[in-house]
Amino acid sequence: MKQETVFQAAGRHLRNGWIILTTRGAVALFGAAMREAAKLIDSPVGVFLPPAEILRQGPQFCRAYGARATIGAVLRQLAATYDPPLGRCRNPVNDPLRAQAVGYHYTHELIRADGVVPSRRPVNESDFALATPFDYPAQPSHAGPIAAIVHVFYPEVLPLLLEKLANLPGDVDLFLSTDTPEKEGRIAQACDGWRKGRVETRVLPNRGRDIAAKFVGFRDVYARYELFVHLHAKRSPHGGAALARWRDYLVDTLLGSPRIAGANLSLFDDPRVGVVFPQHLFELRGVLNWGYDYDLARGLMKRMGVAIDKTLTLEFPSGSMFFGRSAAFRPLLDLALDFSDFPEEAGHVDGTLAHAIERVLLMVAESTGFEWRKVARRDLYPMPQTLLTVREPDDLPLHRLKVFRPCLSPVDDAPRPQERSLAELRPLLSYPSRNPRPRLTLLTPTVNPHQTFGGVATALRLFASLADALGDDWDRRIVATDADIEPAAYERFADFEPAPYAASLDQGRRVIVDAFQREGGRLDLRANDIFIATAWWTAILARDLEKDRARCFGDALPLIYLVQDDEPYFQGRGARAAFAVSTYRPRGETIALINSEELYLSMQAKYGFAESWCIPYAINPQIDVALRPAPRERLMLVYGRPHVERNGFELIVDALFRWQQRDPIRASRWTLLFLGEDFPASWLYPVQNARVLGKASLADYADLLSRASVGVSLMLSPHPSYPPLEMAEAGLVAVTNDFEGRSLRRRFDDVMAVEDVDPLALAEAIEAAVARAEPLIGAITPRRQGRAPALDPDAIFDAGAVAARLRRYRASSRRRRVTQPSSDWRHGGRTTP
C-alpha cells in the first residue's frame, strides 16, 4: 500500500481542521488537535489523565506507563473534554442515537437542605408516553374478569369511579375498602346497580391509606385475578389548586372512555407488560423525588432481594392509580406486610411506608421480569411532542424503546474522574431486548485492521469457530469497546450489519456495534445472550452485562473468558492490577479459554478456574499456507512494539546495539527488520542497518519468515508469545526469554532462551544465534515440528464441545418467572402461535 507523504498528511490535517473549525468551532478544533497529538506521541487509544491531576498522579503514572503514555493520557483527556463529539462524527452509524438520547435531571448531592433525597428523572422533553386512545379500535384479548381494587375513604367520590369503571370491556369485580361501617353502608348504596361483576366491601384499619388497603387488606385477591386496576377516591387537600384536578386526571387517563380503557387494557396482550399507568400530572413533575422515603424504599427492596441506589431512575405511578398484572407484584405480596407496619394516620404527606411502596412499584415489577408502559391523553397533557401516536399494533414495539426506560438498569454514562483515568471501564449500559433467539456476543477492544494484533486476531478466530459450531440457530454480534470502528473494519466484516449503540428492535442475525462513544446509548440485551470477554476490562464489562441480563430475565448463563495472558503483570501495583485479578476470581459461571499450553498450566495452578479449556498453540493458518521453501538470507526479524511493555522493546534495542558494537564486521552484513508496530526509525538509533516495517500483512510476514535466518522476540509474562514460536517453526534461530518456569526450548531445540533478561545476556544470545545461522545462509531449511507440553486431552479446547456445553446451559435454564408466556418480540409482544 502506498504510504502517505508528510505533505499529504499535513494537507489532510489542514482540511480536517478547517471542517472542524467551520462546523463545530475553535474549542472543538483545539480538542481535535489534542487527539491527533496524542496519536503522534503515544497511540490512537489508551488511558486518560486529567491535567488537574498531573501533580498528584503524574509521577506514579509516569513510572507505571512511561513519559509518552503520560503525555498521551493528558492530551486524550483534553480532547475528550473539549471535543467529545469527534468520535461520533468519525462513525456516522451512531449519529441518529445522539439526537434521540434520553436526557436526565440528576445531582450526586446526597440530600438537599430540607432533607429530601434527590432523584434521577428524565427531562420533560424526553419523557415519553403512549397517546391514549390509540388510532385503531384496540380489542383486549384478556377474557377473564378484572379485579378493580378501590379504596374509598371519600364515599361521595365513588359514583364517579363506578361510572369510569363501567368503560372497561368485559366483567369487572369490585373490591372496595373503607375505614368505618357508616361508610360501608354508603358504598353499598352506591354499588347497588353494579351489573358488571361481583362486589365485596371490607372495613379496614385507617393506616397506610390506599396502599395498605390494596396490598394488605386485599392480599388474597391477587391470586384469583391475572389483571387488576387500582383506584382510590382520592383528594389531595394538602396540594391546593395545583393538585385539585389530580384525581380526575388519573382516572380519565386510565378509564376516561371505552376506547381509552380498551386501549390501555390491550397493552397487557404483551405478556411482559406488568404495569400501565398515567403520565405524571404536569404540575407534579418538579417534585418527583425520593422525598423522605429513600431509606424505607431501599430497605423494602432489600427484603425482596433487590439492591437499589439513588443513581437509578426513579419512575413510579404517582397517585398510585394504575392497571397491573398480579404476577408482577408477587415479591411485594409475599412480604406479608401488616397494617401494624404502617404508622397511624396523622395527615402525613411523605415519609411513610405507603409513600415508599408507591415509589418502588415499578422496581418490584421489573425485578420479576415485567415491564411497564406510560399513557397520556393529548387533551390533558401539555407536552404533545412527548406523546407517541399508536396508529397500528406494529407501532408498539418501536414506541416501547422510548417509553420503557428500566428503573433497575443503570443509566449513568457520564465519565467520572476515576473512569477518565481508567477509561476502559466506562460502563456499557443495556436495554432488555424482546428477541428470544440465542446469541453469542464478542466484546473486543477493536476490530480495526491496523489495531488487530495477535490477541484481537485470536479472539476473532475463536468467536468465529464457536459461532460456527453453534450453527444458524444462534445469532452473533461483535461489540468494539475501545476504538471507533473505521470504514476498513466495516469492509472487513461485510457480512455483519452495522448497528448503532442504541436500544432497537434487535432483529439482526449478524451485527457489529461501535460502543466506543458511550454517551446516550445502550446495548440490546437478550434473555439468551452469552458474552465472550477478551481482556480484563471487557471481562468486567461482560460480567456487569450478565448481571443485568440475569436481573431482567432470570437464571445465570456462563461468561466465556478468553484468557490471553496473566494481565496483572502489565498493570503495575495499582487499580488496574486489582481489577484484572478480580476477573480471575469469577462470580457466577465462567468458562475460561486459556491461550497456549504454557499459560494454561500457569493460570490453572495460580487461579484454579472451575471450568477451563486450553487453546493449543498452532501457527496461523494463513501463515501456514503462505510459508515456502526459500534460501535463507541475512535477515533478522525483530518483534518490536514500543507501546507494549511486555515485549521489552528497550531491552531488545539495547541488546542489538551491544551486539553490533561487539561484532561489527559480521553485524554489518545483517539487515534488521522491526515488525509489529509502526514507530519512528529514530527510536532505534544508534542501532545500524535497521528498518521499521510496522504491522505487516500475514502474507508479507510469511514471506519474511521463509527468507530470514534469525528472529528476536521477548515476552515478559507466562504466555509464550506466538512470534518466537512462529519463527522457530518456520526454521529461524529464535531468540527469546524464559519466564517463571516457562522455556520454549522444551518446544524447539533451536530456540535460544535467556534466563535473565538483561541487555548483555540478550546480546550474547543474539551473537550466538547469528553464529549458528551463518553456515545456513543461502540454504533452504525445512520447517520444524515442535513438542507441545503434555496436557490432559480432556482439557484441550474443542469448539464443538464448548458449543454443546453452551446449548446444555441454555436448555437447563429454568426461568424463575414461570408465569410469563413466550412473546412475539416483533409484533407488540403478542403471544407466538
Side-chain angles (χ1 to χ4, degrees), residues 106-430:
Y106 189 60
T107 171
H108 288 98
E109 177 187 16
L110 301 180
I111 60 172
R112 294 183 176 144
D114 57 0
V116 165
V117 176
S119 64
R120 184 187 297 276
R121 291 278 308 142
V123 299
N124 293 351
E125 293 74 16
S126 57
D127 188 5
F128 296 97
L130 301 174
T132 187
F134 303 158
D135 282 6
Y136 64 94
Q139 298 294 326
S141 63
H142 180 71
I146 295 172
I149 305 175
V150 186
H151 183 55
V152 189
F153 190 79
Y154 301 104
E156 63 272 23
V157 179
L158 182 57
L160 168 68
L161 299 183
L162 294 176
E163 176 188 338
K164 301 299 182 182
L165 284 167
N167 289 326
L168 280 167
D171 294 338
V172 181
D173 291 343
L174 298 181
F175 295 90
L176 311 171
S177 59
T178 192
D179 63 325
T180 69
E182 184 272 332
K183 293 180 182 177
E184 181 183 22
R186 295 168 61 188
I187 290 171
Q189 290 180 343
C191 295
D192 187 54
W194 185 255
R195 297 293 180 264
K196 289 179 71 68
R198 58 178 293 206
V199 179
E200 180 179 339
T201 304
R202 298 180 184 180
V203 177
L204 302 172
N206 188 21
R207 287 182 176 224
R209 298 183 187 172
D210 65 294
I211 293 292
K214 295 166 183 172
F215 288 112
V216 177
F218 286 112
R219 182 190 301 122
D220 59 302
V221 169
Y222 297 89
R224 306 199 301 269
Y225 294 86
E226 181 184 358
L227 302 180
F228 64 84
V229 60
H230 273 189
L231 301 176
H232 56 110
K234 182 179 181 62
R235 285 180 177 174
S236 301
H238 62 284
L243 300 187
R245 68 184 188 95
W246 192 5
R247 180 197 64 220
D248 291 343
Y249 169 80
L250 295 174
V251 175
D252 286 342
T253 301
L254 289 172
L255 302 163
S257 71
R259 284 193 63 201
I260 289 173
N264 294 337
L265 197 60
S266 74
L267 292 172
F268 289 94
D269 290 352
D270 180 343
R272 290 291 297 278
V273 171
V275 189
V276 173
F277 66 100
Q279 175 63 284
H280 306 282
L281 182 69
F282 192 78
E283 290 85 345
L284 283 174
R285 297 194 66 86
V287 293
L288 295 173
N289 53 45
W290 285 106
Y292 303 102
D293 310 311
Y294 178 76
D295 281 346
L296 285 168
R298 182 173 178 237
L300 197 66
M301 293 304 296
K302 187 175 182 180
R303 290 176 62 185
M304 289 181 269
V306 180
I308 66 171
D309 62 61
K310 64 185 280 291
T311 68
L312 297 175
T313 303
L314 178 64
E315 184 62 276
F316 62 100
S318 56
S320 63
M321 297 195 200
F322 56 94
F323 286 102
R325 192 184 299 272
S326 296
F329 297 95
R330 181 51 52 192
L332 177 61
L333 296 168
D334 287 346
L335 290 182
L337 296 172
D338 190 80
F339 282 101
S340 62
D341 294 316
F342 297 81
E344 293 185 7
E345 181 58 42
H348 304 90
V349 297
D350 199 5
T352 71
L353 180 60
H355 291 98
I357 290 174
E358 180 185 32
R359 281 163 171 76
V360 300
L361 287 173
L362 301 186
M363 293 181 173
V364 174
E366 286 185 29
S367 75
T368 56
F370 288 97
E371 300 178 358
W372 45 263
R373 299 291 184 268
K374 226 175 345 186
V375 294
R377 287 174 51 164
R378 291 192 179 278
D379 57 335
L380 299 180
Y381 191 71
M383 297 191 70
Q385 71 274 23
T386 65
L387 304 186
L388 306 177
T389 301
V390 183
R391 296 182 174 84
E392 57 184 0
D394 284 345
D395 288 337
L396 291 172
L398 280 173
H399 290 344
R400 165 186 177 264
L401 303 176
K402 287 188 173 183
V403 174
F404 175 54
R405 313 304 296 182
C407 299
L408 291 181
S409 293
V411 297
D412 196 356
D413 61 8
R416 295 170 290 175
Q418 65 269 30
E419 288 162 355
R420 292 187 179 117
S421 59
L422 293 171
E424 310 97 315
L425 295 181
R426 293 172 300 146
L428 284 171
L429 304 183
S430 65

Side-chain angles (χ1 to χ4, degrees), residues 45 91 94 424 426 428 441-448 451 456 460 477-486 489-490 493 499-501 511-518 523 532 534 537-538 541:
V45 295
N91 188 358
N94 279 336
E424 310 97 315
R426 293 172 300 146
L428 284 171
T441 294
L442 176 72
L443 299 183
T444 177
T446 183
V447 291
N448 296 323
Q451 297 169 329
V456 172
L460 291 169
R477 176 173 60 174
I478 299 173
V479 180
T481 62
D482 288 39
D484 293 291
I485 300 179
E486 299 173 358
Y490 283 124
F493 294 95
Y501 175 62
V511 298
I512 184 168
V513 180
D514 183 343
F516 176 55
Q517 292 289 342
R518 311 262 215 275
L523 191 69
I532 302 178
T534 55
W537 62 96
T538 61
L541 297 175

Side-chain angles (χ1 to χ4, degrees), residues 5 88 178 234 261 473 482 498 532 651 717 752:
T5 68
R88 298 198 286 273
T178 192
K234 182 179 181 62
D473 290 342
D482 288 39
I532 302 178
L651 281 168
S717 84
M752 316 258 322

Side-chain angles (χ1 to χ4, degrees), residues 480-618:
T481 62
D482 288 39
D484 293 291
I485 300 179
E486 299 173 358
Y490 283 124
E491 292 175 9
R492 179 184 181 188
F493 294 95
D495 56 337
F496 281 72
E497 173 190 352
Y501 175 62
S504 73
L505 293 182
D506 194 22
Q507 299 180 26
R509 299 289 301 274
R510 294 183 178 220
V511 298
I512 184 168
V513 180
D514 183 343
F516 176 55
Q517 292 289 342
R518 311 262 215 275
E519 298 88 346
R522 289 180 181 244
L523 191 69
D524 289 315
L525 191 61
R526 294 184 186 176
N528 293 302
D529 259 322
I530 289 181
F531 292 92
I532 302 178
T534 55
W536 68 265
W537 62 96
T538 61
I540 290 173
L541 297 175
R543 187 175 66 195
D544 290 344
L545 287 168
E546 165 56 23
K547 189 186 305 179
D548 284 355
R549 192 210 58 77
R551 175 183 47 72
C552 290
F553 302 105
D555 290 342
L557 290 177
L559 163 66
I560 300 174
Y561 190 179
L562 174 58
V563 179
Q564 307 209 58
D565 220 318
D566 195 347
E567 293 186 273
Y569 277 103
F570 319 139
Q571 310 305 330
R573 295 182 180 272
R576 281 185 172 80
F579 276 121
V581 169
S582 74
T583 66
Y584 301 141
R585 307 192 191 285
R587 305 161 192 169
E589 300 284 352
T590 298
I591 300 174
L593 306 181
I594 304 175
N595 189 12
S596 84
E597 295 89 339
E598 288 86 353
L599 184 62
Y600 178 85
L601 293 169
S602 173
M603 296 294 285
Q604 196 61 23
K606 189 171 182 179
Y607 298 105
F609 291 100
E611 184 172 359
S612 62
W613 304 66
C614 173
I615 302 175
Y617 160 75

